[in-house]
């Protein structure tokens, strides 16, 4: 394991072992302090966050974008402080920590036995929302996790989420889709973070006026299994309670090829995500490249390769 990977693993391990023991006010102050320090350093992640916010608010002044990126980093560190502490939260604290609106879309869907796919962007704390579902609704669900390096860090994230009541499948390997489909056919719940997929299998969508790619999985699962596809948006306010909304189902188009239906449904998800992000941009934790225009161009082939 590389030195950098060992350091990363150790830092996350310290977070889960130490931060969860702090009193909540101390954890809040620590998160804000770390966020402000990171913002002042203006590293790559902060600059990318600010660049992404410029897409969301194209008329914002540089001062407004700087203000927004500072709020965004504070929101991002709130996510991490909550996540480090979630394993130590009581069931009552989890239940009182999230207030979702229009929950009937989810509960009615589960009651119908069709299965439900919840699709979320990187807004606020999706882990807290998941813990609330397993605690308040007493409903287990299945999700996927990207394989991280080092492997020990990936194992930490899997153990953390499984401890919150989630079934976690590796994103790579090719078997996740089949398992998700089986869970849905059995009337189960699947939750997927679905606002970024830069792979060749990503579906191109218009997002804040430019082209981005989002995962095809949620739409494909809904088509293949008959499950409901429900977008969810989350946000913070000035209280300790996270807010959220379950949006009406994204319907499967009556006509078109599978690819055409997937494109229409994924665009519909992107539109709901965009509305939620526009209302609470500081809670969108997108510190990575998203739009195709921001990707590095592929290097030109050498003369030897062209020959």
């Amino acid at each position: 394991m590389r030195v950098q990977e060992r350091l990363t693993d150790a830092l996350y391990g310290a977070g889960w072992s130490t931060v969860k023991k702090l009193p909540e006010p101390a954890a809040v102050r620590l998160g804000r302090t770390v966020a402000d320090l990171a913002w002042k350093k203006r590293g790559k992640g902060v600059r990318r966050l600010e660049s992404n916010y410029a897409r969301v608010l194209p008329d914002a002044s540089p001062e407004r974008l700087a203000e927004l990126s500072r709020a965004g980093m504070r929101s991002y560190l709130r996510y991490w402080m909550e996540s480090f502490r979630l394993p130590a939260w009581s069931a009552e604290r989890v239940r009182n920590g999230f207030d979702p609106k229009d929950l009937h879309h989810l509960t009615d869907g589960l009651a119908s036995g069709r299965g439900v796919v919840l699709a979320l962007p990187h807004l606020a704390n999706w882990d807290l929302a998941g813990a609330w579902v397993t605690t308040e609704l007493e409903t287990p669900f299945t999700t996927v996790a990207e394989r991280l390096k080092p492997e020990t860090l990936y194992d930490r994230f899997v153990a953390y989420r499984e401890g919150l009541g989630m079934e976690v499948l590796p994103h790579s390997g090719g078997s996740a889709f089949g398992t998700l489909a089986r869970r849905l056919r059995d009337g189960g719940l699947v939750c997927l973070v679905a606002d970024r997929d830069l792979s060749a299998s990503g579906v191109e969508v218009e997002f804040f006026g430019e082209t981005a790619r989002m995962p095809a999985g949620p739409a494909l699962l809904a088509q293949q299994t008959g499950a409901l596809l429900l977008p969810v948006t989350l946000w913070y306010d000035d209280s300790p309670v996270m807010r959220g909304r379950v949006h009406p189902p994204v319907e499967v188009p009556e006509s078109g090829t599978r690819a055409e239906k997937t494109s229409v449904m994924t665009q519909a998800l992107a539109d709901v995500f965009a509305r939620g992000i526009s209302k609470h941009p500081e809670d969108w934790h997108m510190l990575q490249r998203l739009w195709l225009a921001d990707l590095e161009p592929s290097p030109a082939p050498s003369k030897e390769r062209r020959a």
Side-chain angles (χ1 to χ4, degrees), residues 186-241:
D186 291 338
L189 176 63
V190 164
C191 299
L192 301 171
V193 179
D195 58 345
R196 182 177 185 270
D197 183 357
L198 298 182
S199 71
S201 62
V203 178
E204 291 193 1
V205 295
E206 182 180 323
F207 197 53
F208 292 104
E210 293 191 43
T211 303
R213 286 197 194 115
M214 295 187 180
L220 288 172
L221 285 165
Q223 292 177 61
Q224 187 163 314
T225 68
L228 284 178
L229 174 54
L230 301 178
V232 176
T233 52
L234 308 171
W235 65 92
Y236 290 129
D237 57 19
D238 293 330
S239 77
V241 180

Coordinates of all heavy atoms in Angstrom, one line a residue, residues 186-241:
D186 N -38.6 -8.6 -6.1 CA -39.1 -9.1 -4.8 C -39.8 -8.0 -4.0 O -40.2 -8.3 -2.9 CB -38.0 -9.7 -4.0 CG -37.4 -11.0 -4.5 OD1 -38.1 -11.7 -5.3 OD2 -36.2 -11.3 -4.2
G187 N -40.0 -6.9 -4.7 CA -40.7 -5.8 -4.0 C -39.8 -4.9 -3.1 O -40.3 -4.2 -2.3
G188 N -38.5 -5.0 -3.3 CA -37.6 -4.3 -2.4 C -37.3 -2.9 -2.8 O -37.9 -2.4 -3.8
L189 N -36.4 -2.3 -2.1 CA -36.0 -0.9 -2.3 C -34.5 -0.9 -2.7 O -33.6 -1.5 -2.1 CB -36.2 -0.1 -1.0 CG -35.7 1.3 -1.0 CD1 -36.5 2.1 -2.0 CD2 -35.9 1.9 0.5
V190 N -34.2 -0.1 -3.7 CA -32.8 0.2 -4.2 C -32.6 1.7 -4.1 O -33.5 2.5 -4.6 CB -32.6 -0.4 -5.6 CG1 -31.4 0.2 -6.2 CG2 -32.6 -1.9 -5.6
C191 N -31.5 2.1 -3.6 CA -31.1 3.6 -3.5 C -29.8 3.8 -4.2 O -28.8 3.1 -3.9 CB -31.0 4.0 -2.1 SG -32.5 3.8 -1.1
L192 N -29.8 4.7 -5.2 CA -28.6 5.0 -6.0 C -28.3 6.5 -6.1 O -29.2 7.3 -6.4 CB -28.8 4.4 -7.4 CG -29.1 2.9 -7.5 CD1 -29.5 2.5 -8.9 CD2 -27.9 2.1 -7.1
V193 N -27.1 6.9 -5.9 CA -26.6 8.2 -6.1 C -26.4 8.3 -7.6 O -25.6 7.5 -8.2 CB -25.4 8.6 -5.4 CG1 -24.9 10.0 -5.7 CG2 -25.6 8.5 -3.9
A194 N -27.1 9.3 -8.3 CA -27.2 9.1 -9.8 C -27.0 10.4 -10.6 O -27.6 10.6 -11.6 CB -28.6 8.5 -10.1
D195 N -26.1 11.3 -10.1 CA -25.9 12.5 -10.9 C -24.6 12.6 -11.6 O -24.2 13.6 -12.1 CB -26.1 13.7 -10.0 CG -25.2 13.8 -8.8 OD1 -24.6 12.7 -8.5 OD2 -25.0 14.8 -8.2
R196 N -23.8 11.5 -11.6 CA -22.5 11.6 -12.3 C -22.1 10.2 -12.8 O -22.0 9.2 -12.0 CB -21.4 12.1 -11.3 CG -20.0 12.3 -11.9 CD -19.1 12.9 -10.9 NE -17.8 13.2 -11.5 CZ -16.8 12.3 -11.5 NH1 -16.9 11.1 -10.9 NH2 -15.6 12.7 -12.0
D197 N -21.8 10.1 -14.1 CA -21.2 8.8 -14.6 C -20.4 9.2 -15.9 O -21.0 9.5 -17.0 CB -22.3 7.8 -15.0 CG -21.8 6.5 -15.5 OD1 -20.5 6.4 -15.7 OD2 -22.6 5.6 -15.8
L198 N -19.1 9.3 -15.8 CA -18.3 9.8 -16.9 C -17.8 8.6 -17.7 O -17.0 8.8 -18.7 CB -17.1 10.6 -16.4 CG -17.5 11.9 -15.6 CD1 -16.2 12.6 -15.2 CD2 -18.3 12.8 -16.5
S199 N -18.3 7.4 -17.5 CA -17.9 6.2 -18.3 C -18.6 6.3 -19.6 O -19.6 7.0 -19.8 CB -18.2 4.9 -17.5 OG -19.6 4.7 -17.5
A200 N -18.2 5.4 -20.5 CA -18.8 5.3 -21.8 C -20.3 4.9 -21.7 O -21.1 5.1 -22.7 CB -18.0 4.3 -22.7
S201 N -20.7 4.2 -20.6 CA -22.1 3.8 -20.5 C -23.0 4.9 -19.9 O -24.2 4.7 -19.9 CB -22.2 2.5 -19.6 OG -21.7 2.9 -18.3
G202 N -22.4 6.0 -19.6 CA -23.2 7.1 -19.1 C -24.2 7.7 -20.1 O -23.8 7.7 -21.3
V203 N -25.3 8.1 -19.7 CA -26.3 8.7 -20.6 C -26.1 10.2 -20.7 O -26.1 10.9 -19.7 CB -27.7 8.4 -20.1 CG1 -28.8 9.0 -21.1 CG2 -27.9 6.9 -20.0
E204 N -26.0 10.7 -21.9 CA -25.8 12.2 -22.0 C -27.2 12.9 -21.8 O -28.2 12.5 -22.3 CB -25.3 12.5 -23.4 CG -23.9 12.1 -23.7 CD -23.3 12.7 -24.9 OE1 -23.9 13.5 -25.6 OE2 -22.1 12.3 -25.2
V205 N -27.1 13.9 -20.9 CA -28.2 14.7 -20.6 C -27.8 16.2 -20.7 O -26.6 16.6 -20.6 CB -28.7 14.4 -19.1 CG1 -29.2 13.0 -19.0 CG2 -27.6 14.7 -18.1
E206 N -28.8 17.1 -20.8 CA -28.6 18.5 -20.7 C -28.8 18.9 -19.2 O -29.8 18.6 -18.6 CB -29.6 19.3 -21.5 CG -29.3 20.8 -21.5 CD -30.3 21.6 -22.3 OE1 -30.7 21.1 -23.4 OE2 -30.7 22.7 -21.9
F207 N -27.8 19.5 -18.7 CA -27.8 19.8 -17.2 C -27.2 21.2 -17.0 O -26.1 21.5 -17.3 CB -26.9 18.8 -16.5 CG -27.1 18.7 -15.0 CD1 -28.3 18.5 -14.5 CD2 -26.0 18.8 -14.2 CE1 -28.5 18.4 -13.1 CE2 -26.1 18.7 -12.8 CZ -27.4 18.5 -12.3
F208 N -28.1 22.1 -16.6 CA -27.8 23.5 -16.5 C -27.2 24.1 -17.8 O -26.2 24.8 -17.9 CB -26.8 23.8 -15.4 CG -27.4 23.5 -14.0 CD1 -27.1 22.3 -13.3 CD2 -28.3 24.4 -13.5 CE1 -27.7 22.1 -12.1 CE2 -28.9 24.2 -12.2 CZ -28.6 23.0 -11.5
G209 N -27.8 23.6 -18.9 CA -27.5 24.2 -20.2 C -26.3 23.6 -21.0 O -26.0 24.0 -22.1
E210 N -25.7 22.6 -20.4 CA -24.5 21.9 -21.0 C -24.7 20.4 -20.9 O -25.5 19.9 -20.1 CB -23.2 22.4 -20.4 CG -22.9 23.9 -20.7 CD -21.5 24.2 -20.3 OE1 -20.6 23.4 -20.6 OE2 -21.3 25.3 -19.7
T211 N -23.9 19.7 -21.6 CA -24.0 18.2 -21.7 C -23.1 17.6 -20.6 O -22.0 17.9 -20.4 CB -23.5 17.7 -23.0 OG1 -24.2 18.3 -24.1 CG2 -23.6 16.2 -23.1
A212 N -23.8 16.7 -19.8 CA -23.2 15.9 -18.8 C -23.6 14.5 -19.0 O -24.5 14.2 -19.9 CB -23.5 16.4 -17.4
R213 N -23.0 13.5 -18.3 CA -23.4 12.1 -18.3 C -23.9 11.7 -17.0 O -23.2 12.0 -15.9 CB -22.3 11.2 -18.8 CG -21.9 11.3 -20.2 CD -21.1 10.1 -20.7 NE -20.5 10.3 -22.0 CZ -19.2 10.4 -22.2 NH1 -18.3 10.2 -21.2 NH2 -18.7 10.6 -23.4
M214 N -25.0 10.9 -17.0 CA -25.5 10.4 -15.7 C -25.8 8.9 -15.9 O -25.9 8.4 -17.1 CB -26.8 11.1 -15.3 CG -26.5 12.6 -15.0 SD -28.0 13.4 -14.3 CE -27.3 15.0 -14.0
P215 N -25.8 8.1 -14.9 CA -25.9 6.7 -15.0 C -27.2 6.2 -15.6 O -28.3 6.8 -15.3 CB -25.7 6.1 -13.6 CG -26.0 7.3 -12.7 CD -25.6 8.5 -13.5
A216 N -27.1 5.2 -16.4 CA -28.3 4.6 -17.0 C -29.1 3.6 -16.0 O -30.2 3.3 -16.3 CB -27.9 3.8 -18.3
G217 N -28.4 3.2 -15.0 CA -28.9 2.2 -14.1 C -30.3 2.4 -13.6 O -31.2 1.5 -13.7
P218 N -30.6 3.5 -13.0 CA -32.0 3.7 -12.5 C -33.1 3.5 -13.5 O -34.1 2.9 -13.2 CB -31.9 5.2 -11.9 CG -30.5 5.4 -11.6 CD -29.7 4.7 -12.6
A219 N -32.9 4.1 -14.7 CA -33.9 4.0 -15.7 C -34.0 2.6 -16.2 O -35.1 2.0 -16.4 CB -33.6 4.9 -16.9
L220 N -32.9 1.9 -16.4 CA -32.9 0.5 -16.9 C -33.5 -0.4 -15.9 O -34.3 -1.3 -16.3 CB -31.4 0.1 -17.2 CG -30.8 0.7 -18.4 CD1 -29.3 0.3 -18.5 CD2 -31.5 0.2 -19.7
L221 N -33.2 -0.2 -14.6 CA -33.8 -1.1 -13.6 C -35.4 -0.9 -13.6 O -36.1 -1.9 -13.4 CB -33.3 -0.7 -12.2 CG -31.8 -1.2 -12.0 CD1 -31.3 -0.6 -10.7 CD2 -31.8 -2.8 -11.8
A222 N -35.8 0.3 -13.7 CA -37.3 0.6 -13.7 C -37.9 -0.1 -14.9 O -39.0 -0.7 -14.8 CB -37.6 2.1 -13.7
Q223 N -37.3 0.0 -16.1 CA -37.8 -0.6 -17.3 C -37.9 -2.1 -17.2 O -38.9 -2.8 -17.5 CB -37.0 -0.2 -18.5 CG -37.1 1.2 -18.9 CD -36.2 1.5 -20.1 OE1 -36.3 0.9 -21.2 NE2 -35.2 2.4 -19.9
Q224 N -36.8 -2.7 -16.7 CA -36.6 -4.2 -16.7 C -37.5 -4.8 -15.6 O -37.9 -6.0 -15.8 CB -35.2 -4.5 -16.5 CG -34.9 -6.0 -16.6 CD -33.4 -6.3 -16.8 OE1 -32.7 -5.6 -17.6 NE2 -32.9 -7.2 -16.1
T225 N -37.7 -4.1 -14.5 CA -38.4 -4.8 -13.4 C -39.8 -4.3 -13.1 O -40.6 -4.9 -12.3 CB -37.6 -4.6 -12.1 OG1 -37.6 -3.2 -11.7 CG2 -36.2 -5.1 -12.2
G226 N -40.2 -3.2 -13.7 CA -41.5 -2.6 -13.4 C -41.5 -1.8 -12.1 O -42.6 -1.3 -11.7
A227 N -40.3 -1.5 -11.5 CA -40.3 -0.8 -10.3 C -40.5 0.7 -10.5 O -40.3 1.2 -11.6 CB -38.9 -1.0 -9.6
L228 N -41.0 1.4 -9.5 CA -41.1 2.8 -9.5 C -39.8 3.5 -9.5 O -38.9 3.1 -8.7 CB -42.0 3.3 -8.4 CG -43.5 3.1 -8.4 CD1 -44.1 3.7 -7.1 CD2 -44.1 3.8 -9.6
L229 N -39.6 4.5 -10.2 CA -38.3 5.3 -10.2 C -38.7 6.7 -9.6 O -39.4 7.5 -10.2 CB -37.8 5.5 -11.6 CG -36.5 6.4 -11.7 CD1 -35.4 6.0 -10.8 CD2 -36.0 6.4 -13.2
L230 N -38.2 6.9 -8.4 CA -38.5 8.2 -7.6 C -37.3 9.0 -7.4 O -36.3 8.6 -6.7 CB -39.1 7.8 -6.3 CG -40.4 6.9 -6.3 CD1 -40.8 6.7 -4.8 CD2 -41.5 7.7 -7.0
P231 N -37.2 10.2 -7.9 CA -36.1 11.1 -7.6 C -36.3 11.6 -6.2 O -37.4 11.8 -5.7 CB -36.3 12.3 -8.6 CG -37.3 11.8 -9.6 CD -38.1 10.8 -8.9
V232 N -35.1 11.9 -5.5 CA -35.1 12.4 -4.2 C -34.1 13.6 -4.1 O -33.0 13.4 -4.7 CB -34.8 11.4 -3.1 CG1 -34.7 12.0 -1.7 CG2 -35.8 10.2 -3.1
T233 N -34.5 14.7 -3.5 CA -33.6 15.8 -3.3 C -33.5 16.1 -1.8 O -34.5 15.9 -1.1 CB -33.9 17.1 -4.0 OG1 -35.3 17.4 -3.8 CG2 -33.8 16.8 -5.5
L234 N -32.3 16.5 -1.3 CA -32.0 16.7 0.1 C -31.4 18.1 0.3 O -30.8 18.6 -0.7 CB -31.1 15.7 0.6 CG -31.4 14.2 0.4 CD1 -30.2 13.3 0.8 CD2 -32.6 13.8 1.1
W235 N -31.6 18.6 1.4 CA -30.9 19.9 1.7 C -30.8 20.1 3.2 O -31.5 19.5 4.0 CB -31.6 21.1 1.0 CG -33.0 21.4 1.6 CD1 -33.4 22.2 2.5 CD2 -34.3 20.8 1.1 NE1 -34.8 22.2 2.7 CE2 -35.3 21.3 1.8 CE3 -34.6 19.8 0.1 CZ2 -36.6 21.0 1.6 CZ3 -35.9 19.5 -0.1 CH2 -36.9 20.0 0.7
Y236 N -29.9 21.1 3.6 CA -29.8 21.5 5.0 C -30.4 22.8 5.2 O -30.5 23.6 4.2 CB -28.3 21.6 5.4 CG -27.6 20.3 5.5 CD1 -26.3 20.1 4.8 CD2 -28.0 19.3 6.3 CE1 -25.6 19.0 4.9 CE2 -27.3 18.1 6.4 CZ -26.1 17.9 5.7 OH -25.3 16.8 5.8
D237 N -30.8 23.1 6.4 CA -31.2 24.5 6.8 C -30.3 24.9 8.0 O -29.3 24.2 8.2 CB -32.7 24.7 7.0 CG -33.2 23.8 8.0 OD1 -32.5 23.2 8.8 OD2 -34.5 23.6 8.0
D238 N -30.7 25.8 8.8 CA -29.9 26.2 9.9 C -30.2 25.4 11.2 O -29.6 25.6 12.2 CB -30.2 27.7 10.3 CG -29.8 28.7 9.2 OD1 -28.8 28.3 8.5 OD2 -30.4 29.7 9.0
S239 N -31.0 24.4 11.0 CA -31.3 23.5 12.2 C -30.5 22.2 12.1 O -29.8 22.0 11.0 CB -32.8 23.1 12.1 OG -33.0 22.1 11.2
P240 N -30.5 21.4 13.1 CA -29.7 20.1 13.1 C -30.5 19.1 12.2 O -30.0 18.0 12.0 CB -29.7 19.7 14.5 CG -30.1 20.9 15.3 CD -30.9 21.7 14.5
V241 N -31.6 19.4 11.7 CA -32.5 18.5 10.9 C -32.2 18.7 9.4 O -32.3 19.8 8.9 CB -34.0 18.7 11.2 CG1 -34.8 17.7 10.5 CG2 -34.2 18.5 12.7

